[in-house]
Each structure stands twice: as structure tokens, then as C-alpha cells.
Amino acid sequence: MEKKKELEDLLVSVSENDDYAFRVFYDLYYRSVFRFAYYFLRNREACGEVVSNVFVAVWKSCVALRRIENIDAYLYVVARNEANRYLKESRTRRRCLSFEEIPISLIDRNSPPPPHSEDAPDSRLIEAEVEELVRRLINDLPERCRTVFLLNRQEGLSSREIAEALSLSESTVRVQIKIAVDRIVAGLRTHYPDLKLVSLLLFLFTARF
């Protein structure tokens, strides 16, 4: 409750053109907006440009911030629109980003993956192999399905928040999440038939990809 009040006070200060408050707001949301834009663009340079445009747009309409009930969903909608506009302009300049051609990296990891060496315990090796397989299975999901799944599992957004951010119905979001889970579990069971379904689901819902 206290954090909610602090956020409300921050938004009020930003809406009053408080430069320091806006800097705090920027630092607070930059990483999440960047990650969200990356789901669409898969290119860091492009994301940097888009995220800058997002916060410029927010600053220009800062007066409206105090009336926004869900600031996270609001920022995701603005980021989605800016990402779509970037892609559209890129196509016009014949520099369209291709989801098939650009290497996919789901998230930045602050530490290197577990070592694949003879000295590593078998359990660590299996865990690392399963995690890498999950990443590949996620990458193979259809674009919208992958985005919905990552927003839910990695960003922790609810079905309602994802629906608002992507202009989808909540039922569509839930269906896409189920499709993603079913495909990932099926892929895991194909490669690791001896692993129990409970273990697969536990790994899937607790690991950060």
C-alpha cells in the first residue's frame, strides 16, 4: 500500500513537470520498457531509439499521468505503438527488421550459464541442457504466442495487463499461454521422456529464461 502511494505521488510530481521526478520515473521503468520493446524488435539499437521515443511521448503528455490507473499497461501500450511505428518506418526505408534473420536472445543474463564440462555435476548438466532446450522451444513459438508467454512468465504480467498492452482479449491471452505451455512441455517430453510431467511443469514455471 505504501509503495502504491509513493508511485501515485511520483506520477503527480511528473505530471507537474518536475524534472527530478521524471528522472526517477525514467530510472524506475526504463528496463521493463526496454525488455518489452525487445520482444517486438529483437534489436538493441532499435530498442534504444524506441524507448527514448516512449519516454519523450510520456513527458509530452505528462499532465495525463495522474489520471492513469495502470501505469505499467499504459507504458506497454505506448511502447507497442512506438515499436510498430519503428517497424513500419523501417519497411518504408527498406531496412525492415526480420524476426527470422535476427538472432534471438530472450534476456540478458548477468552471469554466464552453468559450465558444460566433465567436472560439472550431472544434475547441473541436465538442468543447463533443459534450460537451453526451453529457450529454443520458446524461440520456435509463433511471434504473438511467444510474446504473450514471456510477458506472463518473465515480466509477471496478468492476462488482463497483457490484453491491455497488446490490444487482445483476455481469453485470447489465456489461450496463447496454454498453447505455449503445451508446446514447450511436449518438446521437453520428446527430448526427455523419462522426466515426470510434474518436474517439467515445475521447471517451466520457476525457471527464468
Side-chain angles (χ1 to χ4, degrees):
M1 193 68 178
E2 184 177 345
K3 288 186 177 181
K4 182 179 180 181
K5 182 62 168 59
E6 290 177 356
L7 178 58
E8 290 175 351
D9 291 343
L10 176 63
L11 295 180
V12 169
S13 296
V14 174
S15 70
E16 295 173 347
N17 293 314
D18 185 320
D19 290 343
Y20 176 76
F22 183 78
R23 184 69 215 185
V24 173
F25 174 79
Y26 177 90
D27 291 340
L28 182 63
Y29 283 101
Y30 178 86
R31 288 179 63 84
S32 60
V33 173
F34 188 97
R35 285 197 302 266
F36 181 79
Y38 194 73
Y39 294 144
F40 292 91
L41 303 173
R42 303 290 175 181
N43 179 283
R44 290 184 174 280
E45 183 178 349
C47 286
E49 181 177 336
V50 165
V51 172
S52 294
N53 291 339
V54 168
F55 283 100
V56 168
V58 170
W59 177 252
K60 288 181 178 179
S61 60
C62 63
V63 176
L65 286 181
R66 67 176 70 193
R67 299 194 298 272
I68 295 174
E69 295 183 1
N70 190 330
I71 188 63
D72 295 84
Y74 170 75
L75 288 173
Y76 291 141
V77 168
V78 176
R80 180 201 64 196
N81 292 340
E82 289 294 335
N84 286 337
R85 182 163 63 181
Y86 180 92
L87 290 174
K88 183 177 180 180
E89 291 176 353
S90 295
R91 294 188 186 99
T92 300
R93 296 192 298 267
R94 297 184 181 279
R95 292 192 296 106
C96 177
L97 296 174
S98 170
F99 287 109
E100 290 75 25
E101 295 176 1
I102 297 175
I104 294 175
S105 175
L106 294 178
I107 61 171
D108 288 328
R109 301 186 69 87
N110 295 325
S111 59
H116 290 265
S117 67
E118 294 181 358
D119 297 331
D122 290 344
S123 59
R124 290 286 300 278
L125 282 173
I126 293 176
E127 181 180 344
E129 290 171 358
V130 172
E131 184 173 349
E132 179 59 30
L133 175 59
V134 169
R135 288 179 184 167
R136 294 202 305 269
L137 292 170
I138 292 174
N139 286 346
D140 289 340
L141 292 172
E143 179 188 332
R144 183 172 67 173
C145 185
R146 181 179 65 237
T147 300
V148 168
F149 177 80
L150 289 173
L151 287 176
N152 178 253
R153 293 295 184 265
Q154 187 164 298
E155 299 300 324
L157 298 187
S158 66
S159 296
R160 179 179 59 80
E161 291 171 329
I162 296 172
E164 291 178 5
L166 300 181
S167 296
L168 301 171
S169 67
E170 288 188 48
S171 60
T172 297
V173 170
R174 287 192 289 270
V175 168
Q176 292 298 312
I177 292 174
K178 185 178 186 306
I179 290 173
V181 171
D182 287 348
R183 291 193 179 189
I184 294 170
V185 170
L188 285 171
R189 297 187 76 170
T190 298
H191 289 79
Y192 298 95
D194 294 332
L195 289 180
K196 295 181 179 180
L197 179 59
V198 174
S199 299
L200 292 176
L201 291 175
L202 181 62
F203 179 85
L204 182 60
F205 287 98
T206 57
R208 294 187 61 83
F209 309 113

